Amino acid sequence: MLNDTFDKITWLLLAVVIAALAALLAMNHGAGDGKAAGLGKAVEREMAYRARIELIGKLYGPVEELRKAGKNQEALLKLDELIRKYPGEAHGHILQGEILREMGALDEAVASFEAGVKLNGDYVDAKSPLSRRGTIQGLVDEGLKSVGGRAAANPGNRSLAASLRRVNYLKSRLAGGCE
Amino acid sequence: MIRSTLTRLFLFSLPLLLLAGCKAEGKRPVVKIGYMICNNEAETMARFVPLTRYLSDKCGVDFVVVPVDTHDFEKRFKAGEFTFTHSNSLIYVILHENEGVELLASEKRGKFGSRSAGALIARKGSGIEKLADIRGKRLAFGPMLAPTGYLAEYDLMLSAGINPEHDLGTYSIPPGSYKHEKLIYGVLYGKYDVAAAPVLDLETMTREGKIAADDFVILAQSKPIPYCTFGVAKGTDPALVKKVKEALLALKPDDTAEVDGERLKVLKEAWIDGYEELLDSDYDPIREMAKRVNMPPYQKY
């Protein structure tokens, strides 16, 4: 096998090539590859987030237009269709909560915000373009005063206690509590 | 001797033991619940027999369904034909004021939970865009004792300075049952210009695909007011009242009852989302409306 010089040179060259290949593979498998994958995931997340915002604008645009025109009930009917079509999308619940609050249905508004925030925490995140922290804070303040007052005056009332639990849930999410 | 006495004693007591093991069917107290008929008796029975059976199972009482026409409700209650009442919120207010009926639980259904609203609607593109445009037009009301199909809309018009008795072209109430659906379709297909539509019916018909959210213009809408209500005659056994209330408030979508050998989902059959514990003061907006509109129980001649 290693009888003559030619064999020795051939085996040596082969060993050099194998070593070089192994070194190349090791380098590509290192930190550089992780960065690329990490970057890919971040880009994917960003793209998905932007796509969601774009989709929300498109889907709920007609609802927002109805609200601007003061047609809250028509907006609710439209939202009903959208919530059934996209049950996992939180935005419909948030919009519905805003409308119900404007229409004087505080308990139902709280329930709707709770459903929305449970589906997506972006709405309590101050940095999110979808953030509704201010609105939710206002709702919590009003809820604690109104629902809290009624619940305190009627300690055995289970419906008021359940409503107050929902207000407190929103309060905890604003304080940074997790689902 | 002792053995034969024991045998006789055993044989004598055996039928008694067997009887004691039987369920005391028919021996439970019988209590009647009056259910206001919404559209027709058959529909009322189909909706509320499972709920009534559920209550019987939970409370250890044989509850019986009594379907009652809206206009006969107070008269029949006064005659002692039923102890528990299931009616719309205006009938509850009338019974509370006149007969001392106490609030038990309020029904949840639709976007506003245990409340609903009344709306004045016109067909989109009809040229009627705001409430002032309804002067001189043909309007359809729902049944006269409907809180969100008559009372709320009448009040909305009066509040806007429109007297339905003088300022409309005509107003009418569709004949027969399914009045709410009829008047909504009536506006859609041009029989009426404007209608007094309960928001819950608009919601339900949209959900069922009978109408589209874009078909109508909502000219005015009332604040949400309580909807269907369970009440109970004053002086009813407090332990039974407590049991019924707890059973209603505990109802979940998966709860079932057996009717004619078939196990049915109680809430689904009754078209209800659940029950809530409202306060009697939550019915005050209905009282205020009834006073303004001069309707029972505050009607003055």
Side-chain angles (χ1 to χ4, degrees):
Chain A
M1 221 172 138
L2 295 170
N3 293 338
D4 54 28
T5 313
F6 178 76
D7 283 352
K8 284 175 187 167
I9 290 167
T10 305
W11 280 108
L12 183 68
L13 284 172
L14 192 62
V16 168
V17 168
I18 289 168
L21 271 172
L24 274 171
L25 280 171
M27 276 167 71
N28 283 337
H29 197 261
D33 189 42
K35 268 184 200 164
L39 192 66
K41 277 182 187 167
V43 168
E44 271 175 29
R45 267 201 304 272
E46 184 67 19
M47 280 171 69
Y49 190 66
R50 286 186 187 280
R52 181 171 170 247
I53 290 174
E54 190 84 12
L55 185 69
I56 281 172
K58 200 175 168 186
L59 284 178
Y60 298 96
V63 177
E64 294 284 17
E65 277 172 30
L66 286 166
R67 283 184 73 193
K68 277 181 201 156
K71 297 175 184 251
N72 272 342
Q73 185 56 49
E74 287 96 324
L76 271 185
L77 291 174
K78 198 89 191 153
L79 264 180
D80 198 41
E81 288 176 352
L82 290 169
I83 289 172
R84 271 181 292 118
K85 202 168 175 185
Y86 305 99
E89 174 50 62
H91 200 71
H93 295 278
I94 298 293
L95 282 182
Q96 181 175 272
E98 289 176 342
I99 296 170
L100 288 170
R101 189 186 176 195
E102 281 172 30
M103 294 176 89
L106 182 69
D107 294 353
E108 286 69 34
V110 170
S112 208
F113 268 100
E114 184 200 26
V117 169
K118 274 185 175 171
L119 282 169
N120 194 318
D122 285 351
Y123 297 93
V124 285
D125 178 359
K127 289 175 187 164
S128 166
L130 294 171
S131 177
R132 294 291 201 278
R133 273 191 81 86
T135 311
I136 296 171
Q137 186 62 63
L139 189 69
V140 166
D141 294 342
E142 193 184 345
L144 288 173
K145 202 175 157 191
S146 166
V147 184
R150 280 184 289 151
N154 301 278
N157 190 306
R158 277 155 287 190
S159 300
L160 287 172
S163 202
L164 189 59
R165 269 199 299 278
R166 286 193 282 269
V167 174
N168 282 326
Y169 169 79
L170 289 176
K171 190 181 165 188
S172 78
R173 292 302 303 266
L174 286 172
C178 293
E179 176 50 42
Chain B
M1 178 69 187
I2 293 167
R3 204 171 154 186
S4 76
T5 309
L6 279 173
T7 310
R8 270 187 228 141
L9 193 67
F10 174 74
L11 287 171
F12 177 75
S13 55
L14 186 64
L16 291 173
L17 285 168
L18 288 172
L19 279 172
C22 289
K23 197 179 162 189
E25 204 66 62
K27 293 287 179 194
R28 303 193 300 185
V30 174
V31 180
K32 291 180 180 173
I33 306 176
Y35 287 94
M36 192 188 97
I37 297 172
C38 289
N39 288 309
N40 55 61
E41 193 173 320
E43 182 193 88
T44 301
M45 295 300 279
R47 285 179 67 187
F48 294 111
V49 166
L51 174 63
T52 308
R53 196 61 52 83
Y54 161 85
L55 289 174
S56 298
D57 295 344
K58 291 285 172 187
C59 304
V61 165
D62 283 332
F63 283 112
V64 175
V65 178
V66 181
V68 186
D69 188 83
T70 313
H71 289 274
D72 295 337
F73 211 94
E74 189 180 5
K75 188 176 71 188
R76 292 183 66 181
F77 175 78
K78 223 171 163 176
E81 289 189 35
F82 44 90
T83 307
F84 287 84
T85 64
H86 179 273
S87 66
N88 72 35
S89 48
L90 178 59
I91 297 286
Y92 161 72
V93 167
I94 293 170
L95 293 174
H96 179 82
E97 303 298 311
N98 294 348
E99 316 297 334
V101 162
E102 288 157 11
L103 178 63
L104 204 57
S106 309
E107 217 157 279
K108 285 199 289 185
R109 197 176 159 205
K111 287 265 180 262
F112 296 103
S114 57
R115 293 173 174 83
S116 188
L120 284 161
I121 61 165
R123 187 171 50 83
K124 202 175 217 172
S126 68
I128 303 169
E129 298 293 333
K130 53 188 186 304
L131 200 49
D133 297 339
I134 70 170
R135 289 176 193 277
K137 303 291 186 203
R138 299 165 301 164
L139 182 141
F141 276 116
M144 270 200 81
L145 288 171
T148 59
Y150 185 98
L151 174 67
E153 289 87 349
Y154 205 106
D155 186 48
L156 280 171
M157 284 187 269
L158 289 181
S159 306
I162 297 166
N163 185 339
E165 307 300 330
H166 303 124
D167 298 334
L168 297 170
T170 57
Y171 77 73
S172 56
I173 296 173
S177 55
Y178 297 100
K179 289 186 191 331
H180 301 308
E181 283 202 10
K182 277 177 184 165
L183 59 85
I184 292 168
Y185 281 132
V187 167
L188 188 61
Y189 295 109
K191 187 174 181 185
Y192 312 111
D193 301 312
V194 188
V199 166
L200 183 60
D201 286 77
L202 290 173
E203 253 182 59
T204 310
M205 289 174 76
T206 307
R207 199 168 297 160
E208 289 170 348
K210 292 174 176 170
I211 56 171
D214 299 329
D215 287 340
F216 301 98
V217 177
I218 292 167
L219 306 165
Q221 184 167 326
S222 74
K223 284 228 178 289
I225 52 175
Y227 185 59
C228 285
T229 301
F230 256 108
V232 61
K234 64 178 174 187
T236 307
D237 174 16
L240 177 62
V241 173
K242 190 168 178 262
K243 275 185 192 170
V244 173
K245 187 173 187 168
E246 278 176 4
L248 288 171
L249 293 174
L251 253 173
K252 296 277 176 298
D254 288 339
D255 285 323
T256 59
E258 197 173 307
V259 178
D260 299 331
E262 199 180 351
R263 199 143 271 284
L264 302 168
K265 286 190 172 172
V266 175
L267 288 176
K268 191 180 170 197
E269 291 299 315
W271 311 347
I272 295 167
D273 295 335
Y275 281 92
E276 202 162 309
E277 200 175 359
L278 290 187
L279 308 173
D280 180 70
S281 58
D282 289 322
Y283 290 72
D284 286 349
I286 299 170
R287 294 183 170 103
E288 286 152 21
M289 280 181 192
K291 283 174 190 166
R292 289 193 292 264
V293 175
N294 195 26
M295 278 186 74
Y298 309 107
Q299 201 168 26
K300 286 180 187 154
Y301 297 101

